[in-house]
Amino acid sequence: MISKFYKFFLCLSVLVLSIALPLLGQEDFPIYLDNTRSLEARVDHALSLMTLEEKVALTHAQSKFSVRGVPRLGVPELWMADGPHGIREELLWNAWQPAGWTNDSTTAFPALTALAATWNVDIAYLYGKSIGAEARYRKKDVLLGPGVNIYRSPLNGRNFEYMGEDPYLASQLVVPYIQGVQENGVAACIKHFALNNQETNRNHINVKVSERALHEIYLPAFKAAVIDGNVWSVMAGYNKYLGEWCAQNNILLNDILKDSWDFKGVVISDWDAVHNTLLAAKNGLDIEMGTNVPKGKSYQDFYFADPYLKVLKSGQASIDELDDKVRRILRLNFKTAMNSDRPWGSFATKEHAMTARKIAEEGIVLLKNKNQVLPIKSEVKSIAVIGENAVKKLTVGGGSSNLKVKTEISPLEGLQNKFGGNMKISFSAGYSSKKESAVLYDEAIENASKSDLVIFVGGLNKDKGQDSESRDRKEYGLPYDQDKLIVDLAKVNKNIVVILLSGNATAMPWASEVSTIVQAWYGGSEAGNALANILAGDINPSGKLPFTINHSLDDYSAHALGSFPGDSENVEYKEDIFVGYRWNDLKLMEPLFPFGHGLSYTSFSYGKARAVKRNIKSQENPIIKVPLKNIGKRSGAEVVQVYVHDVESSVKRPYKELKAFTKVFLEPGDEEIVVFELPREAFEFYSEKEKKWIYEPGLFKVLIGSSSQEIKQEVSLNLL
């Protein structure tokens, strides 16, 4: 009842002001409502008119996903929405149950691992622009995403929400995503800041990590989001760093984010991530959000509600600190809820569905294609589609990324749409995520033995303990005895295509026994059609892995060193900067499929690379030029990857690090000179001794290839 009255009063206030203000003289027109004035002038004026109680009310939740405005001044509420793959359905004011709306079925965009696998900054912008339009149409002011926590272990339940193992790749893709979202007048909220790399004990685990690894591996994507992407909000994580929770961590929020990076936006806590009023107020948090309101209590009992008001009135907390928070929140409000120039948005449109399909198509990675089984040949007359994931809803579940979708085309539907008129397509589940079934296994084996081609659709799912929030995976292998099923299917039919739907790497003990392997991620609303287009050859696969797939769990540095998931109180990142392919290089260890790997239905040749050597000290960056030619018979795209190797360094560095890439589309026979300019930052490392990034002149090698292991060209640079 209170919420309905509040909304009515807010609407009435805005209506009255909209009628009365034009009748006033220019000198009487409130500065904070005059959008011809500078943003800071409007913020300062609004702040000067607010009472202490009104200020405090802006700093904490009033419902599951909203923050109170200032009705007296016509400042509206701020509404947030879970993402980052689609706009979550409406929930009740103070419960996690659906509100029961009939018009909140969204477009499901592919998971962010699929976006990362596109290696395409233009696609990242299109993704952000489209999901931002959906958030705007639903009257959301803050989209709670994207996530850029680094892929440290393949067991992390939320890896599917992130952008892989490499800080440079994540940095390059997150910036256009943010820019696309915010062009709609909706704030992106980069998360989870910082070091939130596991779900096990996430609410209290204390991360011990070197300062160098923090700056070189775990912070670059956040830094890019702030400095290059101008992100308007940041979500603080649940975990601890240096013994203090991230949502009230002075080093992370004040020293790094607000001081060093000059972040002007709003720091929002993850839900129930605050533990102390004074520490959170002093150490940089701006808005406290929460999950549960205990029985007999209300949102006024939050740390930033009545307890905050009390310590402010007693002088224990600083009014200046409060005013800084309110300025940030007003700044956000004027850019979003009070921005009269922002577009109206659009929701669950055909255009957005086609965008989701395009992202999914560009992200699908062809890992193996022995004997060119793909694309599917015309002589194939019968296909056995096997696997629960061929029909299972994969937009449902996963925690906060759970979606209520308008449509979801399953892999089976996509294959039926594409091939149903010319081929016999039969389906057998083969396995079940709910119970063991020998009958399903037997049916699948029989089906496979009678078909020209087997398409096995398996992997993980969004159930807890798989790819899902709040719980990590327990094992590296595929669940539900899929590994055994795949081996046995390959025994009765050598023409088998294994499709893996997941946001994580998995063991593949059967990799040498199957002809073809495709990593297809969680593809969203058009997942089935996108997959069918790739299998048919209508779309040439161009995705590349955003993380390393190793043979066993112990091949990953965190597990090799016994430092995942920690001892329930602390987790030490013993691998330091050697995450992902950096560890493989250090140990001279061949992965199953390397970071950056992905095959095509065409072939590309790399010509002789050359460098235009320039002096970094005179601000002239080295430029690398490499010819790339499509020597196959199909149009296609190649991701040219540039890694830097420091030959002479005063500190131990990874053998190579990704520092540039571009996706090049070429018709058969076409050639392009691909040009890379490498800035000073590409050659730097973080010095713990000097507390800053260091550039050391000397000999470097630039390694150019199609993956971290498939280096095609090498150029030496002797930099001053």
Side-chain angles (χ1 to χ4, degrees):
M1 195 71 181
I2 294 175
S3 64
K4 291 181 180 178
F5 176 78
Y6 173 80
K7 290 181 178 179
F8 170 77
F9 183 68
L10 176 61
C11 292
L12 182 62
S13 300
V14 174
L15 178 62
V16 170
L17 286 169
S18 66
I19 295 173
L21 291 176
L23 302 177
L24 298 174
Q26 186 63 36
E27 66 277 4
D28 299 317
F29 194 88
I31 293 173
Y32 73 92
L33 290 175
D34 184 357
N35 59 15
T36 66
R37 302 285 190 129
S38 73
L39 177 61
E40 295 307 313
R42 297 176 68 196
V43 167
D44 288 343
H45 186 229
L47 181 67
S48 72
L49 300 175
M50 293 171 62
T51 66
L52 182 63
E53 287 75 12
E54 288 171 333
K55 293 177 182 179
V56 171
L58 295 184
T59 66
H60 67 87
Q62 65 165 358
S63 74
K64 286 290 185 217
F65 286 99
S66 71
V67 175
R68 187 179 175 87
V70 188
R72 182 177 63 87
L73 300 178
V75 177
E77 302 163 327
L78 284 172
W79 280 87
M80 306 176 189
D82 268 328
H85 310 136
I87 311 306
R88 191 172 184 169
E89 68 183 310
E90 296 298 327
L91 302 180
L92 297 174
W93 184 266
N94 186 35
W96 290 108
Q97 287 73 39
W101 288 22
T102 59
N103 60 348
D104 57 347
S105 296
T106 189
T107 303
F109 296 92
L112 288 188
T113 40
L115 172 62
T118 69
W119 290 61
N120 188 330
V121 294
D122 294 329
I123 287 291
Y125 169 78
L126 180 62
Y127 193 129
K129 184 78 169 178
S130 303
I131 196 172
E134 299 230 338
R136 171 66 189 102
Y137 187 90
R138 287 269 301 279
K139 297 180 172 58
K140 306 304 180 185
D141 305 301
V142 180
L143 176 69
L144 299 172
V148 290
N149 295 107
I150 290 295
Y151 187 108
R152 180 174 178 255
S153 161
L155 299 189
N156 182 6
R158 294 189 84 171
N159 277 337
F160 73 100
E161 294 185 53
Y162 305 144
M163 296 189 185
E165 72 184 31
D166 186 77
Y168 181 82
L169 176 62
S171 297
Q172 292 302 300
L173 294 177
V174 75
V175 169
Y177 180 109
I178 289 168
Q179 292 169 337
V181 169
Q182 294 184 169
E183 283 186 15
N184 293 279
V186 174
C189 185
I190 194 78
K191 64 183 187 182
H192 306 85
F193 191 66
L195 300 164
N196 190 174
N197 305 110
Q198 63 188 63
E199 293 299 286
T200 304
N201 302 314
R202 68 173 181 172
N203 291 309
H204 66 268
I205 196 75
N206 179 48
V207 177
K208 296 181 177 180
V209 62
S210 74
E211 190 176 353
R212 182 180 175 196
L214 176 71
H215 285 273
E216 289 193 13
I217 304 296
Y218 298 101
L219 291 187
F222 289 102
K223 184 178 181 180
V226 171
I227 295 177
D228 300 323
N230 187 30
V231 71
W232 295 344
S233 61
V234 170
M235 183 188 292
Y238 281 121
N239 53 291
K240 294 179 180 178
Y241 168 59
L242 296 181
E244 185 55 83
W245 278 281
C246 291
Q248 51 196 54
N249 193 296
N250 185 59
I251 292 175
L252 290 177
L253 302 185
N254 281 335
D255 292 350
I256 294 175
L257 181 62
K258 292 185 174 180
D259 293 341
S260 179
W261 298 349
D262 196 28
F263 176 61
K264 299 299 184 185
V266 175
V267 178
I268 302 169
S269 77
D270 208 335
W271 273 231
D272 284 352
V274 183
H275 299 268
N276 183 282
T277 299
L278 286 173
L279 283 175
K282 179 181 179 181
N283 291 345
L285 186 71
D286 299 314
I287 293 178
E288 178 193 3
M289 300 301 292
T291 299
N292 299 305
V293 177
K295 187 176 181 180
K297 295 193 175 185
S298 71
Y299 288 100
Q300 290 304 120
D301 295 296
F302 272 33
Y303 290 100
F304 267 17
D306 286 347
Y308 192 19
L309 189 60
K310 182 178 179 180
V311 295
L312 284 162
K313 288 181 175 179
S314 70
Q316 293 175 271
S318 165
I319 298 294
D320 287 343
E321 288 173 354
L322 171 64
D323 285 350
D324 178 70
K325 301 179 195 306
V326 175
R327 279 192 176 90
R328 293 171 181 272
I329 297 165
L330 288 171
R331 195 178 290 132
L332 176 63
N333 205 311
F334 289 151
K335 290 178 178 179
T336 58
M338 290 188 73
N339 178 2
S340 60
D341 294 328
R342 62 177 177 167
W344 291 103
S346 54
F347 188 68
T349 63
K350 182 66 175 177
E351 179 185 13
H352 288 169
M354 292 303 97
T355 294
R357 182 191 293 187
K358 181 174 178 58
I359 297 165
E361 290 168 346
E362 279 213 29
I364 290 173
V365 182
L366 180 60
L367 296 176
K368 180 182 179 182
N369 194 23
K370 185 179 180 181
N371 300 324
Q372 286 71 53
V373 170
L374 294 181
I376 296 173
K377 309 299 187 292
S378 59
E379 54 264 30
V380 173
K381 301 302 180 184
S382 60
I383 299 176
V385 179
I386 295 171
E388 184 186 66
N389 274 3
V391 295
K392 188 178 178 66
K393 295 289 186 184
L394 293 174
T395 58
V396 176
S400 61
S401 64
N402 177 70
L403 294 175
K404 172 184 173 183
V405 297
K406 185 176 181 180
T407 58
E408 179 179 357
I409 306 299
S410 70
L412 180 60
E413 289 175 307
L415 290 167
Q416 289 170 335
N417 293 341
K418 180 65 64 174
F419 300 108
N422 302 315
M423 301 178 189
K424 177 186 176 183
I425 298 179
S426 55
F427 170 71
S428 301
Y431 71 91
S432 170
S433 57
K434 296 187 180 300
K435 61 181 179 181
E436 294 184 12
S437 175
V439 173
L440 296 180
Y441 170 88
D442 292 340
E443 290 177 349
I445 296 297
E446 182 178 1
N447 191 1
S449 66
K450 296 178 179 179
S451 301
D452 295 337
L453 177 69
V454 175
I455 297 179
F456 177 84
V457 186
L460 306 177
N461 57 42
K462 300 289 189 68
D463 294 346
K464 288 188 181 297
Q466 298 299 316
D467 281 326
S468 180
E469 183 181 4
S470 80
R471 193 181 302 170
D472 290 326
R473 296 166 62 198
K474 297 299 182 185
E475 58 187 8
Y476 189 43
L478 292 173
Y480 322 123
D481 289 325
Q482 291 179 73
D483 289 328
K484 179 181 184 304
L485 178 57
I486 294 170
V487 170
D488 291 346
L489 288 170
K491 290 177 180 177
V492 300
N493 194 323
K494 61 182 176 59
N495 294 319
I496 179 171
V497 176
V498 176
I499 310 293
L500 296 174
L501 306 182
S502 72
N504 257 313
T506 62
M508 302 181 200
W510 35 261
S512 62
E513 301 177 44
V514 302
S515 57
T516 306
I517 307 172
V518 178
Q519 178 65 52
W521 318 106
Y522 299 117
S525 288
E526 287 283 317
N529 288 333
L531 178 61
N533 284 341
I534 293 288
L535 299 185
D538 295 343
I539 300 293
N540 195 343
S542 62
K544 299 280 188 174
L545 285 176
F547 51 69
T548 303
I549 299 180
N550 279 315
H551 294 272
S552 72
L553 192 60
D554 287 340
D555 291 342
Y556 294 92
S557 55
H559 295 275
L561 299 175
S563 60
F564 182 95
D567 63 6
S568 82
E569 293 298 326
N570 297 285
V571 56
E572 183 178 0
Y573 290 12
K574 296 178 183 178
E575 70 277 11
D576 200 50
I577 58 174
F578 295 98
V579 177
Y581 66 87
R582 292 164 169 80
W583 177 258
N584 289 72
D585 285 347
L586 179 69
K587 296 298 180 179
L588 303 177
M589 181 172 56
E590 287 290 329
L592 180 59
F593 296 109
F595 171 82
H597 171 73
L599 303 177
S600 171
Y601 296 151
T602 190
S603 300
F604 299 92
S605 68
Y606 286 68
K608 179 67 175 177
R610 65 186 185 90
V612 179
K613 299 180 181 179
R614 300 187 181 181
N615 186 349
I616 283 182
K617 284 192 173 183
S618 65
Q619 306 305 311
E620 292 184 332
N621 299 327
I623 294 176
I624 308 297
K625 297 183 177 182
V626 55
L628 181 73
K629 186 174 183 178
N630 183 344
I631 58 174
K633 297 179 180 180
R634 290 174 175 263
S635 60
E638 171 71 322
V639 178
V640 182
Q641 302 162 40
V642 176
Y643 298 83
V644 168
H645 167 59
D646 190 350
V647 178
E648 303 168 351
S649 177
S650 63
V651 298
K652 189 174 184 179
R653 302 188 69 175
Y655 179 78
K656 62 176 172 291
E657 297 179 278
L658 181 71
K659 293 300 178 181
F661 65 87
T662 190
K663 195 167 195 175
V664 183
F665 293 82
L666 293 174
E667 295 296 327
D670 283 359
E671 183 175 17
E672 180 175 324
I673 304 299
V674 187
V675 180
F676 297 96
E677 181 175 354
L678 297 177
R680 179 189 181 102
E681 290 76 21
F683 305 94
E684 293 180 336
F685 64 88
Y686 185 84
S687 168
E688 293 184 339
K689 181 179 180 180
E690 299 191 37
K691 308 293 183 185
K692 66 178 183 179
W693 289 87
I694 296 295
Y695 165 73
E696 290 182 340
L699 182 62
F700 293 86
K701 289 186 178 180
V702 177
L703 311 176
I704 302 155
S706 58
S707 80
S708 61
Q709 293 290 311
E710 297 155 305
I711 302 302
K712 308 289 188 180
Q713 292 288 313
E714 180 179 304
V715 175
S716 294
L717 295 175
N718 197 353
L719 301 178
L720 302 177

